[in-house]
Amino acid sequence: MVRAIKQGTTSFIPVALFVVSSLLMLSLFRFGYFILYTERVIEAINPIEFFLLGIRADLIQIGYYTLVPLLLFPFCNFRKTHQLWLKFSVLWFSACFALLFFMEISTPAFLAQYDTRPNRLFFEYLLYPKEVFSTLWNGFRGWLILGVTASGLVIYTVYTFSKSMHKRLAQRTTHHGMAWLLLPVVLVFTVLGIRSTLAHRPANPAFFAVSSDAMVNSLILNSNYTLAYAVYNLKHEDKANRVYGQLTDAEVIATITAEDHLKSADFPFKNYPTVHFQAASNKREKPLNIVIILEESLGATFVESLGGLPVTPNIERLKNQGWWFENLYATGTRSVRGIEAVVSGFLPSRARSTVKLSDSQRYFFTIADALKRQGYTTEFIYGGESHFDNMAAFFTGNGFSNIIDQDEFSNPVFEGSWGVSDQDLLTMLHARLIEQQGSSQPSFTLAFTSSNHEPFEFPDNQIALSEHPKQTVNNAVKYADHALGQFFDRAMQSDYWQNTLFLVVADHDTRVYGNDLVPIQKFHIPGLILGGDISPRVIDTVTSQIDLTPTLLSLAGVSAYVPTLGQDLSNPETPPANRAMMQFGDSYGWLQGNQLTVLTTDGKQHQFTYQRDSKELLPSHQSLADKQIKRIQAFAMAPSVLYQSHAYYVPVTH
């Protein structure tokens, strides 16, 4: 009997070896992450619980890989086919082990950049190998070489071991009957490992979210799992934010359109429930040209008057000549999220930005579309390749008539991994504005900078470096500010200055990280509206990126139908809403004054008080009324409601 059991277990030796070796390897990597982030881990969770939960999470991913050969086993547990199954299982587990290792060796660089394990961004950026490889080579060269070398060695070792293992297993006698009896036991343990709980629903990433530090929560998992879960979630993107509440679509729409600045508006289109007519606060005979300069990763971190570093003297100088936003907050942490908020006024969500989603490539509102209907020429200028992040497709499908990207720049002063320098970009912008000045049509231009993007490449001898070596974020920001200052010095001396309205705003801050559910200080960004007849003013109330489009249209003298939910801050009849919303991973933040409410995917609401001077987020015991919670949930759910119903658009009849 003992001999039969021993012979029966022969079939499952590859399974046992894979499970044990994978658990050991993943645990060693997790120990390495623990060493790298000891303070944050200890502050967030008991280390023993950290490692035990990690093993539990690893068993989920290992179980999925193990399940494939086990489900094939009943079809192969016969004398003539058993060797074929053994060969397949050894090769399968070897490939899975190599993949587990590759993802883990890739993780430290991703953690350093994004403060989380590999997620959707990991495979999205694989679509842009030129930019990604340049960034890795210039910014993470040592780790790239180490990762490729280590992965190669592991693949070779695993391949050699798998050949030897298959040869040894082929020489062993197998008891097929006993293997049939052992299979249900192995399958049960595998399924239990995958579910990781006896509760009604199996475990998911939220199950392991045991602290308020999202990065630590991600370390409990493994990178194969976080990446696979991101891929799985793609099919749920159109309803990604419905997890934050139980409101009906009608309740969501009724709540978000009842805001003070919208309650008196008329919403005439049943199928486009947020579309309303916004009358411009500034009445003009001829509307102003509008220029948006979207600054890559230039957060409040780098603006001294906003509590940051003294590396943006030109922004400090220019802020006294227009509307300066002291408490402006980005909606997200990626460029496409900033584009979505600034250009479309769309609310943030857990899904990919609408710049990338399939159902928003046409018939989706942008300020360009609104202005094009008013007779404006519309243009996008970018120093890199405009196909990156799907920008070209989104823009051309939604109101932009002309796109200028890297191929259009002849003899640029400098070209880096992400395209031409900011000076080249803004020189092109200046030339285009001069050219358009002679036209009878007003113009709208979006210019998107890129010099302040890792690996932080910019021309030599343009600035006095803040630090050494040259290619650091502080030096890149200082260069971006230098290029911006040069542009405005020329613009103010040009004929187009008096009839052009400029918005300078960051898409997001750089490297958004922190051990809070939503690290508010890393969402704080500078914003400035100047030009034309704009008088200096300080906007000190909490403002969101979604408020910029309505305000720009109004200041430029453009009255139009819009679906936007942001506030026209130039309207004197409505007090500022004093709120901002932001998405950080799976957490949705709503900042009202200095009170932050965070909604999480488990249906809970978390309250904090934000201390702006110290940039600390402190737990708050202040409870919100049901009406206020419903308001926050409605805004959190609105992106999914509007996207799913194809409702964020102004019908062409208007």
Side-chain angles (χ1 to χ4, degrees):
M1 184 65 179
V2 174
R3 183 180 180 184
I5 294 175
K6 185 177 180 180
Q7 291 175 341
T9 60
T10 297
S11 299
F12 303 107
I13 287 177
V15 176
L17 284 174
F18 173 68
V19 171
V20 173
S21 60
S22 296
L23 279 177
L24 180 61
M25 183 264 291
L26 293 173
S27 296
L28 286 173
F29 270 105
R30 189 172 290 106
F31 180 75
Y33 305 142
F34 174 78
I35 297 299
L36 287 173
Y37 300 98
T38 301
E39 290 186 11
R40 287 179 65 174
V41 173
I42 291 177
E43 184 179 344
I45 186 175
N46 181 286
I48 295 177
E49 185 181 5
F50 172 77
F51 286 107
L52 289 178
L53 281 173
I55 292 173
R56 192 170 174 180
D58 292 342
L59 284 172
I60 295 176
Q61 186 61 51
I62 292 170
Y64 277 118
Y65 285 146
T66 303
L67 199 59
V68 174
L70 290 180
L71 292 178
L72 291 175
F73 185 81
F75 302 99
C76 302
N77 188 29
F78 306 102
R79 189 176 303 278
K80 293 183 178 181
T81 55
H82 189 262
Q83 290 301 320
L84 181 64
W85 182 87
L86 277 178
K87 185 174 183 179
F88 168 78
S89 63
V90 169
L91 290 174
W92 169 262
F93 287 133
S94 298
C96 290
F97 184 88
L99 181 59
L100 286 169
F101 179 86
F102 172 76
M103 288 305 304
E104 292 302 315
I105 200 70
S106 303
T107 296
F110 198 90
L111 278 167
Q113 183 73 6
Y114 301 110
D115 209 46
T116 188
R117 279 185 181 272
N119 54 19
R120 182 168 49 208
L121 291 174
F122 189 90
F123 61 81
E124 282 186 9
Y125 279 1
L126 292 178
L127 298 174
Y128 313 105
K130 173 180 173 290
E131 291 88 348
V132 171
F133 180 77
S134 295
T135 299
L136 289 173
W137 184 251
N138 290 289
F140 300 92
R141 186 176 305 174
W143 196 262
L144 178 63
I145 294 172
L146 174 63
V148 171
T149 303
S151 296
L153 288 173
V154 166
I155 291 172
Y156 175 77
T157 302
V158 169
Y159 173 74
T160 303
F161 176 79
S162 65
K163 288 178 63 177
S164 173
M165 175 56 63
H166 177 256
K167 185 176 181 180
R168 288 199 298 270
L169 289 175
Q171 295 172 352
R172 297 186 60 159
T173 302
T174 301
H175 193 296
H176 299 287
M178 185 57 67
W180 279 110
L181 294 176
L182 292 174
L183 178 62
V185 177
V186 177
L187 277 172
V188 166
F189 277 101
T190 301
V191 171
L192 286 175
I194 292 172
R195 286 188 56 84
S196 196
T197 175
L198 295 177
H200 177 63
R201 295 181 181 275
N204 58 37
F207 183 85
F208 298 96
V210 295
S211 80
S212 62
D213 190 333
M215 191 273 282
V216 173
N217 291 337
S218 77
L219 291 184
I220 293 173
L221 304 170
N222 61 76
S223 297
N224 269 248
Y225 183 66
T226 57
L227 189 65
Y229 195 77
V231 174
Y232 169 78
N233 270 338
L234 290 178
K235 69 176 185 177
H236 302 297
E237 283 200 314
D238 59 349
K239 53 185 179 181
N241 274 37
R242 291 185 180 273
V243 298
Y244 293 123
Q246 301 297 321
L247 306 179
T248 65
D249 289 5
E251 288 177 313
V252 168
I253 297 299
T255 303
I256 62 179
T257 55
E259 292 289 286
D260 286 346
H261 65 282
L262 293 173
K263 62 172 54 176
S264 61
D266 180 35
F267 299 93
F269 307 106
K270 180 181 178 181
N271 293 331
Y272 304 92
T274 65
V275 173
H276 60 282
F277 186 76
Q278 179 182 289
S281 61
N282 283 15
K283 309 300 180 183
R284 301 180 184 275
E285 290 186 12
K286 181 181 179 181
L288 298 179
N289 303 321
I290 298 176
V291 175
I292 298 176
I293 301 177
L294 194 62
E295 288 283 344
E296 171 69 49
S297 304
L298 205 159
T301 305
F302 309 103
V303 181
E304 187 173 14
S305 60
L306 297 181
L309 299 171
V311 290
T312 53
N314 289 291
I315 288 179
E316 296 287 0
R317 167 173 62 93
L318 292 167
K319 75 177 187 181
N320 299 316
Q321 301 186 42
W323 283 27
W324 175 243
F325 295 86
E326 286 196 335
N327 284 297
L328 177 64
Y329 291 85
T331 60
T333 63
R334 307 307 313 151
S335 295
V336 282
R337 192 65 76 197
I339 291 171
E340 172 187 74
V342 173
V343 177
S344 293
F346 197 66
L347 299 163
S349 76
R350 294 169 59 232
R352 285 179 298 170
S353 165
T354 48
V355 175
K356 296 184 175 184
L357 294 181
S358 58
D359 286 344
S360 50
Q361 300 307 299
R362 293 189 66 194
Y363 308 118
F364 193 84
F365 174 81
T366 67
I367 187 175
D369 183 54
L371 293 173
K372 189 175 183 179
R373 299 187 195 191
Q374 300 277 342
Y376 277 68
T377 61
T378 56
E379 188 165 80
F380 171 53
I381 306 177
Y382 181 54
E385 296 180 349
S386 59
H387 71 271
F388 185 79
D389 270 346
N390 200 52
M391 291 185 293
F394 177 78
F395 287 148
T396 55
N398 292 303
F400 285 83
S401 298
N402 189 39
I403 290 181
I404 297 175
D405 67 2
Q406 187 171 0
D407 293 338
E408 304 290 326
F409 289 81
S410 58
N411 301 316
V413 173
F414 180 85
E415 287 188 76
S417 302
W418 290 88
V420 303
S421 70
D422 283 6
Q423 285 172 298
D424 290 301
L425 173 79
L426 295 175
T427 296
M428 172 69 80
L429 172 60
H430 178 66
R432 294 295 295 166
L433 292 176
I434 290 176
E435 183 179 335
Q436 293 161 0
Q437 179 65 16
S439 172
S440 60
Q441 289 181 276
S443 65
F444 166 70
T445 309
L446 170 66
F448 185 20
T449 72
S450 58
S451 290
N452 184 34
H453 193 297
E454 197 136 20
F456 310 123
E457 299 167 298
F458 55 91
D460 293 327
N461 305 317
Q462 291 296 315
I463 60 169
L465 299 180
S466 296
E467 58 194 13
H468 292 278
K470 175 191 170 187
Q471 286 181 233
T472 68
V473 63
N474 291 337
N475 286 329
V477 170
K478 190 173 183 180
Y479 168 74
D481 176 78
H482 169 70
L484 191 68
Q486 280 188 336
F487 168 78
F488 276 108
D489 286 343
R490 286 178 294 182
M492 290 176 186
Q493 302 302 316
S494 302
D495 292 339
Y496 62 74
W497 176 257
Q498 288 302 321
N499 62 357
T500 304
L501 187 67
F502 294 88
L503 167 65
V504 179
V505 65
D507 55 354
H508 57 85
D509 202 341
T510 185
R511 289 188 179 179
V512 179
Y513 58 87
N515 57 1
D516 297 315
L517 281 174
V518 177
I520 292 293
Q521 76 281 4
K522 297 297 288 183
F523 282 80
H524 191 191
I525 58 173
L528 172 64
I529 297 176
L530 71 167
D533 55 3
I534 299 300
S535 300
R537 176 179 170 185
V538 175
I539 311 295
D540 58 2
T541 53
V542 175
T543 309
S544 171
Q545 280 177 322
I546 71 165
D547 299 319
L548 298 174
T549 283
T551 302
L552 275 179
L553 290 172
S554 195
L555 288 175
V558 177
S559 298
Y561 277 92
V562 293
T564 54
L565 295 164
Q567 181 177 16
D568 171 14
L569 296 168
S570 71
N571 187 342
E573 297 180 3
T574 308
N578 197 30
R579 58 83 192 98
M581 62 288 296
M582 54 211 77
Q583 190 80 41
F584 184 60
D586 287 336
S587 299
Y588 181 89
W590 178 278
L591 183 64
Q592 186 81 46
N594 69 339
Q595 297 300 308
L596 174 69
T597 301
V598 179
L599 306 182
T600 47
T601 55
D602 57 6
K604 296 179 180 178
Q605 301 99 38
H606 307 264
Q607 304 296 326
F608 303 91
T609 298
Y610 181 49
Q611 303 286 349
R612 286 192 175 84
D613 292 339
S614 62
K615 300 181 181 179
E616 289 184 288
L617 204 56
L618 306 176
S620 172
H621 301 293
Q622 177 179 336
S623 58
L624 295 180
D626 290 343
K627 182 178 180 181
Q628 180 63 5
I629 292 176
K630 179 180 178 181
R631 178 192 180 206
I632 297 171
Q633 289 176 330
F635 270 89
M637 295 175 66
S640 291
V641 172
L642 294 171
Y643 178 79
Q644 273 188 292
S645 56
H646 305 90
Y648 198 72
Y649 182 68
V650 179
V652 292
T653 53
H654 289 274

